[in-house]
């Protein structure tokens, strides 16, 4: 239990223990928000946003931030093949059922955005709006190659400061203006301290899911899945330096979705960090999305 959020543990359909951070009032009139992280990221990435939404003096919201299986405080799966979007979709539905959330705005970063799009197909009544952080119906192979180059392959740093420098060396071109404090903050969502040493916040076997991708073959296009979001307001965010979501794809999303708001975050890559001005933009958009007919 943390004074700023409640710990929620849920059993998946196969018995694996899943974890989520549960912020704010469990009951209330405001539409809840569900945060879904990227491939190798955790609920930690949404802490600032969750605090801002749950502590709003005028309209506090319940915010649920999930750790997928094999990440954060969720249990690791003995079979790495289960680190699959379809199974993580089922896990998400299980967590929402236990939490009693019947409708929410979903904030999905990268993989979390794919799960959000999938939710619109399998459980459309759950969606009250969607924030897609640097992900869309076309995934660029170049970005996936870069992600595959480091997931599960990072060196073991001695301190969080060193961990921040590891990430800086790896992704400085994506985030050229990041401060050391920002790199260290990102590192705290990648490693945790355990018995006096730093360990990854995710199962290194996640890398195996990427190794099975044949990036010489064109990737599947997900426009029909994205089309499932057409009844709902959508905020689409792109990092100006992103190599996973192109500006052309973002324009196509705008043209095909009449209720989509597009935002590009300059000097950030995949995926923009939710803090500062971007945090304010998301919070304001959620407030407006709730009152749209």
């Amino acid at each position: 239990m943390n004074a700023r959020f409640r710990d929620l543990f849920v059993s998946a359909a196969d018995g694996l223990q899943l974890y989520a951070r549960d912020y704010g009032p469990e009951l209330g009139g405001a539409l809840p928000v569900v945060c879904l992280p990227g491939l190798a990221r955790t609920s930690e990435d949404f802490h600032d946003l969750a605090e801002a939404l749950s502590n709003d003096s005028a309209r506090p919201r319940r915010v649920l931030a999930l750790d997928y299986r094999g990440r954060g405080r969720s249990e690791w799966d003995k079979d790495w093949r289960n680190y699959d979007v379809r199974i993580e979709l089922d896990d998400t539905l299980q967590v929402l059922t236990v939490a009693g959330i019947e409708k929410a705005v979903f904030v999905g970063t990268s993989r979390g955005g794919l799960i959000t799009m999938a939710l619109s197909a399998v459980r459309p009544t759950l969606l009250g709006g969607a924030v897609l952080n640097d992900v869309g119906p076309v995934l660029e192979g170049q970005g996936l190659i870069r992600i595959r180059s480091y997931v599960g392959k990072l060196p073991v740093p001695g301190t969080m400061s060193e961990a921040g420098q590891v990430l800086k060396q790896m992704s400085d071109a994506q985030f050229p203006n990041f401060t050391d404090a920002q790199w260290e903050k990102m590192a705290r969502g990648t490693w945790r301290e355990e018995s006096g040493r730093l360990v990854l916040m995710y199962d290194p076997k996640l890398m195996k899911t990427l190794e099975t991708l044949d990036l010489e073959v064109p990737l599947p296009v997900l426009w029909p899945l994205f089309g499932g979001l057409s009844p709902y307001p959508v905020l689409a965010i792109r990092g100006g330096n992103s190599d996973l979501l192109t500006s052309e794809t973002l324009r196509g999303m705008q043209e095909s979705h009449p209720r989509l708001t597009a935002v590009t975050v300059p000097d950030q890559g995949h995926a923009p960090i939710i803090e500062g001005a971007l945090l304010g933009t998301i919070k304001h958009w959620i407030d407006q999305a709730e009152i749209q007919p």
Side-chain angles (χ1 to χ4, degrees):
M1 177 70 181
N2 184 298
R4 299 155 98 174
F5 53 84
R6 298 173 294 278
D7 296 326
L8 178 63
F9 292 96
V10 176
S11 291
D14 59 4
L16 199 83
Q17 189 176 72
L18 306 170
Y19 173 78
R21 294 183 176 192
D22 193 354
Y23 297 77
E26 292 185 72
L27 299 174
L31 198 61
V33 173
V34 175
C35 299
L36 303 175
L39 172 69
R41 304 298 299 177
T42 70
S43 54
E44 174 78 20
D45 287 351
F46 300 102
H47 180 69
D48 291 348
L49 176 65
E51 286 223 307
L53 292 170
S54 62
N55 292 321
D56 185 278
S57 59
R59 197 160 176 76
R61 297 180 187 278
R62 186 180 184 188
V63 180
L64 210 63
L66 278 63
D67 287 343
Y68 308 130
R69 59 177 61 211
R71 288 83 140 183
R73 295 178 64 186
S74 288
E75 189 178 354
W76 291 9
D77 201 307
K78 293 179 180 178
D79 185 354
W80 63 266
R81 294 171 186 83
N82 289 333
Y83 297 139
D84 180 275
V85 168
R86 291 164 294 185
I87 290 176
E88 290 160 9
L89 171 63
D90 288 341
D91 289 347
T92 299
L93 289 169
Q94 182 73 4
V95 171
L96 295 177
T97 297
V98 172
I101 292 179
E102 299 178 348
K103 186 176 183 179
V105 172
F106 286 79
V107 180
T109 294
S110 194
R111 191 181 189 90
L114 298 179
I115 293 173
T116 298
M117 286 191 279
L119 279 170
S120 73
V122 302
R123 197 71 63 81
T125 56
L126 272 172
L127 271 77
V131 178
L132 304 179
N133 186 16
D134 213 59
V135 66
V138 180
L139 305 178
E140 298 299 319
Q142 179 183 355
L144 292 175
I145 290 171
R146 183 181 56 79
I147 293 169
R148 187 168 66 180
S149 72
Y150 67 77
V151 170
K153 304 171 186 177
L154 296 171
V156 181
T159 66
M160 278 296 176
S161 178
E162 289 179 14
Q165 292 305 305
V166 168
L167 296 184
K168 180 179 181 178
Q169 292 171 12
M170 182 180 70
S171 300
D172 191 46
Q174 291 267 309
F175 301 91
N177 295 332
F178 260 27
T179 65
D180 287 346
Q182 286 174 303
W183 286 118
E184 186 170 334
K185 183 177 181 180
M186 187 183 288
R188 292 187 181 278
T190 306
W191 290 273
R192 66 170 178 263
E193 297 180 18
E194 189 174 287
S195 303
R197 59 190 294 266
L198 296 185
V199 297
L200 282 173
M201 292 274 279
Y202 62 86
D203 185 349
K205 290 181 181 177
L206 266 179
M207 63 183 280
K208 292 182 176 292
T209 66
L210 296 173
E211 288 174 348
T212 62
L213 292 175
D214 183 359
L215 297 178
E216 298 300 319
V217 176
L219 293 166
V221 175
L222 305 175
W223 284 108
L225 199 61
F226 173 73
L229 294 178
S230 59
Y232 316 104
V234 172
L235 174 63
I237 301 163
R238 177 181 181 266
N241 298 332
S242 177
D243 55 6
L244 193 76
L245 176 65
T246 66
S247 56
E248 290 77 15
T249 297
L250 184 62
R251 280 196 297 272
M253 293 164 69
Q254 284 182 281
E255 292 167 0
S256 67
H257 193 304
R259 300 177 68 190
L260 184 142
T261 301
V263 173
T264 297
V265 182
D267 299 321
Q268 292 203 35
H270 182 77
I273 307 305
I274 300 177
E275 62 180 16
L278 180 58
L279 188 158
T281 296
I282 294 173
K283 185 176 182 299
H284 176 73
W285 181 88
I286 290 173
D287 289 339
Q288 296 301 305
E290 184 176 22
I291 62 176
Q292 288 180 15

